Amino acid sequence: MEGVQAFDLDSRLTGPLGRKAADALAPLGLETVGDLLRHYPRRHVDRGRLTDIAGLVAGEHATLIAQVEKATLRDMRRRNGQMLQVVIRDEKGGQLDCTFFSPYKVRQFIKPGVRAVFSGKVGVFNQRLQLTHPQFEALDETDALRPFLSVYPANSKVTSQEIARSIRQTLEQIDDPTDPLPEELRRREKLPELGRALRRIHVPESEADIHAARHRLVWDEALGVQLALALRRQDAVGRPAPACPRTAGGLLDAFDADLPFPLTDGQLAVGEEIAADLAGEHPMNRLVQGDVGAGKTIVALRAMLQVVDAGAQAAMLAPTEVLAAQHARSLRAMLGPLGRGGELDAAENATAVTLLTGSMSTRAKRQALLDAQSGAAGIVVGTHALIQDAVGFADLGLVVVDEQHRFGVEQRDALRARGERAPHMLVMTATPIPRTVAMTVYGDLSVSELKGMPRGRSPVATTVVPLAEHPQWIERVWQRIREEVDAGHQCYVVCPRVGDVDKADPELDEPPPEEGESERRPPLAVLDIAPMITEKLAGLRVGILHGKLPPDEKDAVMRSFERAELDVLVATTVIEVGVDVPNATGIVLLDADRFGLSQLHQLRGRVGRGTAPGLCLLVTEMPAATTSRERLDAVAGTTDGFELARLDLELRREGDVLGASQSGSRSGLKLLSLLRHEEVIAKAQVYAQDLVGRDPGLLGHPRLRALVGETLGDEERAAYLDKA
């Protein structure tokens, strides 16, 4: 369709919309015609499938159009705060109650006389049907003329309807863009042209229009990502890794012979996959997904020993100094005389395990640097201090990254780029966070799943403590801690933040707020709540641990807890990974809804590590029927980390797989979904490899190169994607 004055995707929005409308859209990141047309509807409301209020059934999800009759702001009886109670009526006279527990954002839009689409799960309160915190979109007169209503991501300044009007106005003034996808690919995959897809995703005439348009636009994103990866891999071909084949009679064989327990079938299988990768010159880039307690550390240690046997070195990165020190102690303990190279009681062919962290004394740090540089240390364990410019290695053959989501991608890449040869990379994670899982499927990592649990692990019972409905239950939480301590055990109490700054802990993987939650109180803090806990648990020995303590103090507190000199440890997520205290049986997570789902699972993994069963209490003030409660119920309902990773994706989406954001609040990919589009991603990978193989650099396909730039934004994001 041609307009009076034709604009293209690169045109500024001031052209088709004018300055005022363009300025209003800028805060949403919409500055060009392409930005606006790629701002896809988050859903379409089919007028033919709307439900009448009279036909609603409790427990079902419903979408209806109704007018607000009453909107009353009231104080909540059982806890602080207000709620908005709303009565709506549809065209057939049916009435329904709606309740908003976080009314701060919605009350300016939900007013008597407003006509809107309401959507949510139908519940029952006081024997009346109601919607609790439903999604809603106000309607204007023009919406009545179309079979589908397009609902857009918006903000408090620009409504969905205003975005829809801007898009329709823009579509009337542009010519169809040149299609970047090769005609042969479109024909094989039965894809509509780009211009038609962009028009039909915004103004569909039928459900078939929506499906065809979305499918085509998903292909653009999948191919853009896979072309970027193919181009980056092609550039990296000329930098081989050191070949580290297994050596008979070396450290690895000696270690296996001295193990006091058999390796699990999963550990053996994953070990063989890693061993085969290490034997070649193609740099390994492997993700080991093992559930909490599955024995990933031994898998990593056996890989490191294979590399040391081949004459190279291994480095292990841990996210915190506490964990780095604990890893170093653990590796030395597992190796025994095999890990005491240079000491009097060392085995004949022993290597040395060296710890390097930023807080070490100057003398200790100088020795650690010398051991790494000279090759005296076969295994070097540390934090980000390992990737500082002053750190050199004699021959770095393997980098093991523990819990990769706690490291910046740039930091990991700096270590991987050391030396003339690229070291092999082994990434370990207990519950893959969304971006990690997404990158796996997008083709950047090989995957090993470590199945099965070592003998001796105890079950952990997980319970949600819903203070919105039962505020008095918090007293029972403190009683349960006393009961665990009275039985001779220890407990953790975890808060989302430290408390000496008025913002969340930077390591907290907090989910994005639900609609209307922008003014929630700050998350509970260790320093704020520790005095109350000490009073509630009078007579018990309570310690405090958080990331802002001096390193020696953190280590002292952790060692005291390990030696059972403390009964209760009040901490932040600093205990999330690697902390291993078998006598700890109880963990209480306050404001549990403020943690990421992966963090909840990791934190739960701190208990049940001995012979006694574990207890995990998820304390929350979030009401029932919210996404936050769904997440907590999911954690309580399964101990399978792989299942939780998938649920995390379903509830939060993949996050920004092209950048640092992992919260799901804004994705660099608008439509591409790991769960729904695995087949498209796999096909796109094949096409991308073929295209780049036949046309290195895509010099003969400038539109495809432009597609890569459009999908990833810029070269830095392309580099970021590959480094992940």
Side-chain angles (χ1 to χ4, degrees):
M1 183 190 301
E2 295 190 9
V4 176
Q5 178 184 356
F7 299 97
D8 61 28
L9 296 181
D10 294 324
S11 300
R12 309 295 293 182
L13 286 175
T14 48
L17 298 180
R19 172 69 60 188
K20 184 177 180 182
D23 288 347
L25 293 171
L28 288 170
L30 309 178
E31 298 179 353
T32 68
V33 168
D35 293 337
L36 182 60
L37 297 188
R38 297 283 192 186
H39 189 72
Y40 305 126
R42 56 183 166 89
R43 62 192 175 108
H44 296 89
V45 177
D46 183 351
R47 287 184 170 279
R49 295 190 176 182
L50 293 172
T51 308
D52 294 333
I53 289 177
L56 295 179
V57 177
E60 292 185 352
H61 192 280
T63 300
L64 52 98
I65 290 180
Q67 184 168 309
V68 176
E69 286 210 328
K70 279 198 307 187
T72 308
L73 198 61
R74 292 184 177 162
D75 292 330
M76 284 188 273
R77 287 197 292 264
R78 294 186 176 178
R79 63 188 179 108
N80 294 333
Q82 293 182 307
M83 61 182 176
L84 186 67
Q85 291 187 318
V86 178
V87 178
I88 60 176
R89 180 190 295 271
D90 66 12
E91 293 177 347
K92 296 187 178 179
Q95 280 192 332
L96 182 67
D97 296 334
C98 298
T99 302
F100 295 87
F101 285 105
S102 300
Y104 312 106
K105 274 179 70 175
V106 301
R107 64 184 177 187
Q108 59 183 308
F109 302 114
I110 301 289
K111 296 177 180 177
V114 168
R115 194 160 167 272
V117 178
F118 294 87
S119 180
K121 188 175 181 179
V122 181
V124 179
F125 182 72
N126 286 341
Q127 298 184 326
R128 288 168 58 91
L129 296 181
Q130 73 161 10
L131 296 178
T132 302
H133 211 90
Q135 290 184 321
F136 71 92
E137 282 297 335
L139 301 174
D140 60 21
E141 300 77 13
T142 61
D143 289 322
L145 304 176
R146 287 183 295 279
F148 288 87
L149 303 174
S150 297
V151 180
Y152 292 90
N155 62 19
S156 58
K157 302 287 174 55
V158 184
T159 66
S160 172
Q161 301 94 309
E162 289 168 330
I163 293 171
R165 282 196 295 271
S166 295
I167 286 173
R168 291 195 296 270
Q169 184 176 332
T170 301
L171 286 172
E172 291 171 358
Q173 300 179 68
I174 69 164
D175 291 331
D176 284 348
T178 303
D179 202 313
L181 298 196
E183 186 177 349
E184 182 184 358
L185 188 157
R186 293 201 313 269
R187 181 176 50 77
R188 274 193 206 164
E189 301 299 332
K190 300 181 174 60
L191 302 175
E193 291 188 344
L194 178 60
R196 178 176 175 81
L198 287 173
R199 294 182 190 281
R200 289 306 179 219
I201 193 75
H202 295 294
V203 190
E205 297 294 330
S206 67
E207 200 165 326
D209 280 350
I210 298 171
H211 290 310
R214 288 180 68 90
H215 185 60
R216 161 59 209 255
L217 298 171
V218 161
W219 259 97
D220 283 14
E221 294 182 3
L223 190 62
V225 169
Q226 291 297 346
L227 285 170
L229 286 168
L231 288 167
R232 297 287 298 178
R233 280 194 295 267
Q234 185 185 62
D235 291 341
V237 162
R239 194 160 172 260
C244 300
R246 283 198 66 159
T247 303
L251 282 170
L252 178 54
D253 284 351
F255 175 74
D256 285 349
D258 287 344
L259 272 176
F261 50 81
L263 295 170
T264 66
D265 291 343
Q267 287 171 324
L268 289 169
V270 171
E272 288 303 314
E273 291 176 340
I274 294 171
D277 284 351
L278 292 175
E281 291 190 346
H282 182 76
M284 175 177 73
N285 198 15
R286 182 169 290 277
L287 172 69
V288 174
Q289 303 178 103
D291 212 342
V292 176
K296 297 182 297 299
T297 304
I298 284 191
V299 169
L301 177 54
R302 294 182 75 243
M304 290 190 279
L305 292 177
Q306 179 173 331
V307 169
V308 173
D309 280 340
Q313 292 167 287
M316 186 175 199
L317 267 67
T320 66
E321 293 198 348
V322 168
L323 186 53
Q326 186 157 337
H327 269 318
R329 289 197 297 270
S330 176
L331 294 178
R332 287 180 186 134
M334 284 192 284
L335 285 170
L338 296 172
R340 294 201 279 268
E343 300 178 30
L344 288 176
D345 59 346
E348 184 178 348
N349 57 344
T351 189
V353 178
T354 292
L355 175 67
L356 179 58
T357 62
S359 64
M360 292 169 64
S361 69
T362 302
R363 181 178 178 183
K365 192 181 297 183
R366 188 183 300 120
Q367 184 61 50
L369 289 168
L370 182 62
D371 290 345
Q373 182 77 57
S374 66
I379 298 173
V380 183
V381 183
T383 59
H384 63 279
L386 281 186
I387 57 176
Q388 292 173 350
D389 291 338
V391 182
F393 292 87
D395 186 8
L396 184 59
L398 171 66
V399 175
V400 178
V401 181
D402 186 25
E403 296 304 329
Q404 81 155 357
H405 65 279
R406 303 291 288 275
F407 275 99
V409 171
E410 297 296 338
Q411 289 178 311
R412 293 197 305 275
D413 190 61
L415 186 53
R416 187 166 60 182
R418 287 304 177 86
E420 295 179 6
R421 296 185 294 180
H424 298 284
M425 180 74 71
L426 179 63
V427 174
M428 301 191 301
T429 186
T431 302
I433 59 166
R435 196 181 68 80
T436 306
V437 183
M439 288 311 307
T440 298
V441 172
Y442 294 139
D444 187 51
L445 297 168
S446 302
V447 193
S448 293
E449 290 194 356
L450 183 55
K451 296 290 190 180
M453 301 291 281
R455 288 179 294 182
R457 292 295 301 227
S458 300
V460 179
T462 306
T463 303
V464 178
V465 182
L467 299 186
E469 295 94 310
H470 303 284
Q472 71 279 10
W473 285 12
I474 190 64
E475 296 304 319
R476 178 60 182 144
V477 169
W478 309 127
Q479 288 176 10
R480 284 296 288 115
I481 290 180
R482 280 194 178 278
E483 290 168 7
E484 291 298 313
V485 174
D486 289 345
H489 303 303
Q490 296 162 274
C491 295
Y492 303 97
V493 178
V494 183
C495 301
R497 67 185 182 113
V498 176
D500 54 350
V501 289
D502 191 25
K503 61 181 180 180
D505 187 319
E507 292 190 347
L508 180 63
D509 185 25
E510 183 173 8
E514 295 188 37
E515 199 167 343
E517 289 185 330
S518 59
E519 296 184 32
R520 289 175 70 186
R521 63 163 172 75
L524 293 174
V526 167
L527 297 180
D528 295 340
I529 208 160
M532 181 276 290
I533 294 174
T534 303
E535 183 180 333
K536 290 283 185 185
L537 303 176
L540 303 188
R541 299 166 298 173
V542 179
I544 294 176
L545 182 69
H546 56 76
K548 294 187 178 296
L549 287 173
D552 55 346
E553 193 172 334
K554 280 188 287 191
D555 197 50
V557 172
M558 200 60 236
R559 284 176 175 268
S560 293
F561 193 69
E562 289 172 353
R563 292 192 295 259
E565 295 167 359
L566 295 172
D567 300 313
V568 179
L569 188 62
V570 183
T572 59
T573 57
V574 71
I575 68 158
E576 179 184 342
V577 289
V579 174
D580 186 5
V581 181
N583 192 48
T585 55
I587 185 164
V588 176
L589 303 177
L590 300 175
D591 274 352
D593 51 277
R594 311 297 277 264
F595 296 96
L597 196 150
S598 295
Q599 284 185 314
L600 293 171
H601 184 55
Q602 288 277 23
L603 289 164
R604 172 172 58 186
R606 298 312 101 206
V607 298
R609 304 178 77 86
T611 56
L615 170 73
C616 176
L617 300 178
L618 307 175
V619 181
T620 179
E621 293 182 0
M622 289 303 292
T626 58
T627 302
S628 296
R629 280 285 290 276
E630 275 187 62
R631 293 170 54 253
L632 297 183
D633 290 340
V635 175
T638 181
T639 56
D640 185 335
F642 295 100
E643 177 63 20
L644 286 174
R646 194 168 185 88
L647 286 168
D648 206 0
L649 281 167
E650 290 174 355
L651 293 170
R652 298 173 61 190
R653 298 187 64 228
E654 284 88 342
D656 189 350
V657 301
L658 305 181
S661 169
Q662 297 170 10
S663 68
S665 56
R666 184 179 181 218
S667 176
L669 301 176
K670 306 290 195 279
L671 297 175
L672 192 64
S673 164
L674 168 66
L675 296 178
R676 295 191 301 275
H677 304 129
E678 291 183 58
E679 185 179 343
V680 172
I681 292 167
K683 283 185 177 181
Q685 186 177 32
V686 174
Y687 279 112
Q689 289 171 344
D690 179 61
L691 285 163
V692 172
R694 287 189 286 112
D695 181 12
L698 294 180
L699 300 180
H701 294 78
R703 290 170 193 153
L704 285 178
R705 276 203 73 92
L707 176 65
V708 173
E710 184 180 333
T711 306
L712 273 65
D714 54 37
E715 277 300 313
E716 284 186 19
R717 286 171 86 81
Y720 184 104
L721 182 68
D722 183 66
K723 293 169 189 172

